[in-house]
Amino acid sequence: QVQLVESGGGLVQTGDSLRLSCTASRGIFGDYAIGWFRQVRGKEREFVAAIKWSGDSTFYADAVKGRFTISRDSAKKTAYLQMNSLRPDDTAVYYCAAARVWLLKKDSEYPYWGQGTQVTVSS
């Protein structure tokens, strides 16, 4: 089974950009769709974006559409979340997750998760 590690979080200002990475170890990276989720303390984890195992299909939550871009590099076994025009309400812990099924938006449908990386956007 795949194991995931996120990196790239940090403290930025409104309007800045940040790129998160999700690197897989064990398992076959190309077998999995990768999803990004985020969670604010005290709230439910929410879907952000997902990319198919082939890399040729993506979909996004409305809140990030046009500002965030998900991609993947199979050779590096890494998925990315490029976040532009960041806003304070993007502040959250960001998680990547993997699943063998496509078009999943519920966190309960993803069996494999990373540990999360904190993104804080100051106003």
Side-chain angles (χ1 to χ4, degrees), residues 41-107:
R41 184 177 298 180
K43 294 187 177 181
E44 293 186 355
R45 194 152 44 186
E46 66 170 350
F47 171 79
V48 175
I51 186 166
K52 201 174 183 181
W53 40 80
S54 56
D56 60 356
S57 294
T58 60
F59 65 104
Y60 298 88
D62 288 343
V64 306
K65 203 172 293 183
R67 299 188 299 124
F68 290 12
T69 303
I70 189 171
S71 62
R72 65 191 292 160
D73 184 333
S74 295
K76 295 182 178 180
K77 297 184 179 181
T78 300
Y80 303 97
L81 185 67
Q82 177 67 43
M83 306 186 293
N84 299 329
S85 303
L86 283 163
R87 310 184 304 219
D89 61 358
D90 294 317
T91 296
V93 177
Y94 283 72
Y95 299 88
C96 66
R100 291 176 180 265
V101 181
W102 179 225
L103 291 177
L104 302 179
K105 298 179 69 174
K106 296 181 180 179
D107 57 355

